[in-house]
Amino acid sequence: MDYQFSKDFFWGAATSATQSEGRVVGDGKGENIWDYASTIYNHRFYDGVTTEKTSRFYEDYQVDIQRMQDLNFNSFRTSISWSRLIPEGRGQVNREAVAFYHEVFDELNKKGIKPFVNLYHFDMPLALQEIGGFENREVIQAYRDYAQLCFDLFGDKVAYWFTFNEPMIPAEAGYLHDRHYPYVVDFKRAAQVLHNIILAHCEAVKVFREGDYSGKIGIIMDVIPVYPRSQNPADLKAAEMADLFYTRSLNDAILKGHYPAELGEVLKAYGQMPEDIREEDLALMAETKIDLLGINYYRPRRVKARESVPNPDGVFSPEWFYDNYEMPGRRMNTSRGIEIYPQGLYDIAKKIQQEYDNIDWFVSENGIGIQGEEQFIEGGIVQDDYRIEFLKEHLIWLHRAMEEGSNCLGYHMWTFVDCWSWINAYKNRYGFYRLDLETGEKTVKKSGLWFKDVITQQGFDQKEKIKEMTK
Ligand code: FCB
């Protein structure tokens, strides 16, 4: 085998509660911000399709888990829906949700598929958003209690816990870039939300350590490696700033236990420090350590120096310090308008190895969203050779990093069955299984069958060199 992975390597796929479960009303579930935005801001979603249109994991989980076994998965990541478990976010627990998650985790375990469980995937209970969401410290306490409840209820069935998926997104998309509810555009508030999410993460890890739970706990980060246009000082500085704001701010806080000093300097200079950062917060961050890091990787960020600040009287933004650089000849996924750069995964692995103590990590999301996949249906299945190529190339770079000592423990593709996306709904399809939106039918794609073989053989052959591999 040209690219052999270890026997205990985790193979599978990832999804989240809101994007796959369905049954948004009924069975005791409370509303979350997505259910709410679905009704009020319908026009913000592609084709007006909202959270109620999913692949119905809530009803179909048994068959879906059978489908995972058909593909030989040994692990699968999903999230618990906070507002399903605790409809108001705190207080009363929904027994039907307790039963549902017990059944899901039992079914996975029975089939030899390890559940990787994330506690928060962008889905704030509406009742808690109404008191300010993560801007309000009471919500940190509510989150801690929710985490503890999950560990108590499911701790003997789940060995891999994650506090948050992409903690930057709720702050950035919800409070700076007008993409997620509550659609606020205010840097200082975004920074406060991010700080409070980090505290919520720390509180959950603390509860986990203090309780008698077995298993591991970590967090899932989206990392966008940054590449400067050139080695000239202005371009290098631009890259440094983009990396500082979007990646180091969080990675250093979580993995090193403190914010990068430069971040504080810039925020002070621009009068953008969040109001409420306390001594005890910093002490808590310093003492919090995770066991396992998930990395979501989709694309690189290429930057160049800015000629001038875009809108100096407008809202402060990291974009003041860099400009996007459209490198000639870069390979694009035109459906999403993002670059495909498999080597980015290797670069991330090296960074974790060199700067973050070579901590145990795994690829918690990687994948390719394609519009109009029905045009590739032949003989009843999506012939998604482009997805197979994409996976291969990323796995090859990952394999190389592992040969060089990176502690990567697994690879989860985004996603299992085509899912609803936060803004784009079903515009781009990502799954190993196609979801027919009209009939609800789920059909394995060619890539799913290919992945099954990879898992069975714990690797794959690739004789011809892949052209991008120039290193
Ligand atoms: C990631 C999210 C995930 C999914 C993919 C495409 O940023 O974690 O929920 O929407 O993008």
Side-chain angles (χ1 to χ4, degrees):
M1 193 99 332
D2 297 334
Y3 297 96
Q4 184 81 52
F5 291 78
S6 72
K7 270 197 173 31
D8 48 6
F9 197 71
F10 290 116
W11 296 103
T15 190
S16 81
T18 305
Q19 293 175 278
S20 64
E21 284 179 2
R23 190 67 58 87
V24 291
V25 179
D27 287 14
K29 185 181 175 300
E31 242 185 325
N32 66 30
I33 54 173
W34 293 96
D35 306 323
Y36 178 71
S38 289
T39 52
I40 309 288
Y41 300 96
N42 195 276
H43 58 280
R44 281 183 174 257
F45 300 96
Y46 186 77
D47 271 352
V49 175
T50 57
T51 50
E52 74 230 323
K53 186 103 187 157
T54 64
S55 60
R56 309 173 317 276
F57 186 70
Y58 188 80
E59 291 146 48
D60 281 4
Y61 70 91
Q62 273 175 318
V63 191
D64 278 349
I65 293 171
Q66 180 56 52
R67 290 186 172 104
M68 292 175 203
Q69 198 185 35
D70 293 345
L71 296 193
N72 278 348
F73 283 13
N74 61 11
S75 50
F76 168 65
R77 192 232 320 176
T78 189
S79 66
I80 291 176
S81 160
W82 187 353
S83 65
R84 185 182 297 288
L85 191 64
I86 310 175
E88 300 288 305
R90 49 188 173 175
Q92 187 96 38
V93 175
N94 173 14
R95 305 216 154 273
E96 285 173 84
V98 175
F100 168 67
Y101 289 113
H102 270 302
E103 284 164 29
V104 168
F105 302 144
D106 282 342
E107 195 64 26
L108 286 165
N109 284 323
K110 215 161 69 196
K111 296 211 149 44
I113 301 168
K114 292 238 172 345
F116 281 43
V117 177
N118 170 36
L119 295 174
Y120 189 90
H121 202 123
F122 308 167
D123 53 351
M124 178 65 72
L126 185 62
L128 294 181
Q129 188 63 48
E130 280 169 351
I131 59 162
F134 277 119
E135 279 183 283
N136 181 345
R137 281 188 184 237
E138 276 180 43
V139 173
I140 302 178
Q141 301 315 317
Y143 172 83
R144 189 201 53 199
D145 296 345
Y146 155 63
Q148 184 160 23
L149 177 73
C150 292
F151 304 148
D152 284 340
L153 287 170
F154 312 118
D156 54 348
K157 300 183 178 178
V158 175
Y160 298 93
W161 291 100
F162 301 91
T163 56
F164 283 87
N165 174 74
E166 306 187 346
M168 181 64 80
I169 299 295
E172 183 200 330
Y175 291 83
L176 185 62
H177 289 147
D178 191 34
R179 293 171 63 79
H180 292 184
Y181 190 77
Y183 309 122
V184 170
V185 181
D186 182 324
F187 181 87
K188 251 192 184 181
R189 288 176 65 185
Q192 187 70 57
V193 166
L194 187 64
H195 177 69
N196 291 3
I197 288 178
I198 293 170
L199 293 182
H201 157 82
C202 293
E203 292 284 358
V205 174
K206 194 168 170 203
V207 161
F208 189 80
R209 301 278 182 236
E210 285 169 0
D212 194 16
Y213 309 108
S214 55
K216 294 186 184 303
I217 190 158
I219 192 167
I220 290 165
M221 307 273 212
D222 55 320
V223 172
I224 308 181
V226 182
Y227 304 94
R229 167 180 56 182
S230 78
Q231 295 300 309
N232 84 43
D235 286 339
L236 288 177
K237 184 75 193 165
E240 202 183 296
M241 294 303 274
D243 194 49
L244 176 67
F245 275 101
Y246 287 114
T247 306
R248 278 188 56 213
S249 54
L250 251 176
N251 283 10
D252 283 14
I254 301 284
L255 298 169
K256 296 188 174 168
H258 58 81
Y259 291 116
E262 303 93 302
L263 185 66
E265 285 157 23
V266 182
L267 295 189
K268 275 194 199 118
Y270 285 83
Q272 295 295 332
M273 276 297 263
E275 308 288 337
D276 189 11
I277 298 190
R278 306 176 190 172
E279 280 300 315
E280 66 258 32
D281 301 348
L282 303 178
L284 177 64
M285 281 164 60
E287 74 192 26
T288 306
K289 298 264 174 297
I290 59 165
D291 306 312
L292 178 62
L293 175 67
I295 295 287
N296 296 353
Y297 174 63
Y298 289 94
R299 63 185 169 122
R301 195 192 297 277
R302 300 203 185 266
V303 306
K304 61 182 181 189
R306 262 214 182 278
E307 312 271 289
S308 60
V309 171
N311 177 13
D313 301 324
V315 174
F316 174 85
S317 162
E319 281 78 41
W320 284 16
F321 302 96
Y322 70 89
D323 203 353
N324 292 318
Y325 171 55
E326 302 197 352
M327 188 175 73
R330 66 195 182 140
R331 225 169 119 202
M332 295 295 285
N333 168 2
T334 47
S335 300
R336 282 193 68 184
I338 60 178
E339 185 181 340
I340 299 176
Y341 188 61
Q343 190 186 328
L345 194 53
Y346 171 88
D347 293 343
I348 292 172
K350 295 314 274 185
K351 200 159 222 172
I352 296 173
Q353 193 171 1
Q354 286 153 6
E355 281 181 36
Y356 297 107
D357 280 343
N358 204 8
I359 186 172
D360 284 350
W361 69 287
F362 73 110
V363 179
S364 38
E365 284 180 30
N366 176 232
I368 181 167
I370 296 290
Q371 189 170 6
E373 267 200 327
E374 57 281 354
Q375 67 189 285
F376 301 104
I377 297 179
E378 240 180 75
I381 75 167
V382 179
Q383 306 288 338
D384 53 347
D385 292 288
Y386 44 86
R387 182 166 287 108
I388 296 175
E389 282 300 289
F390 180 98
L391 296 184
K392 256 191 201 170
E393 291 178 65
H394 283 80
L395 284 168
I396 289 174
W397 279 109
L398 182 65
H399 188 269
R400 176 176 296 197
M402 291 168 68
E403 278 183 330
E404 293 172 16
S406 174
N407 290 323
C408 180
L409 308 186
Y411 179 93
H412 285 175
M413 189 182 84
W414 185 270
T415 187
F416 180 52
V417 180
D418 287 344
C419 69
W420 181 82
S421 289
W422 305 104
I423 295 168
N424 282 332
Y426 288 94
K427 173 175 168 281
N428 302 318
R429 302 305 187 95
Y430 289 87
F432 279 133
Y433 275 79
R434 172 165 176 81
L435 177 68
D436 185 317
L437 282 186
E438 262 143 51
T439 62
E441 210 186 332
K442 302 170 191 177
T443 326
V444 73
K445 301 180 192 173
K446 186 174 178 186
S447 60
L449 299 172
W450 175 81
F451 198 62
K452 175 187 178 150
D453 285 344
V454 172
I455 303 175
T456 314
Q457 305 163 32
Q458 287 149 10
F460 57 94
D461 281 315
Q462 175 65 31
K463 295 291 177 218
E464 347 79 78
K465 269 246 170 303
I466 293 218
K467 53 185 181 311
E468 274 68 32
M469 301 211 49
T470 47
K471 255 204 162 171

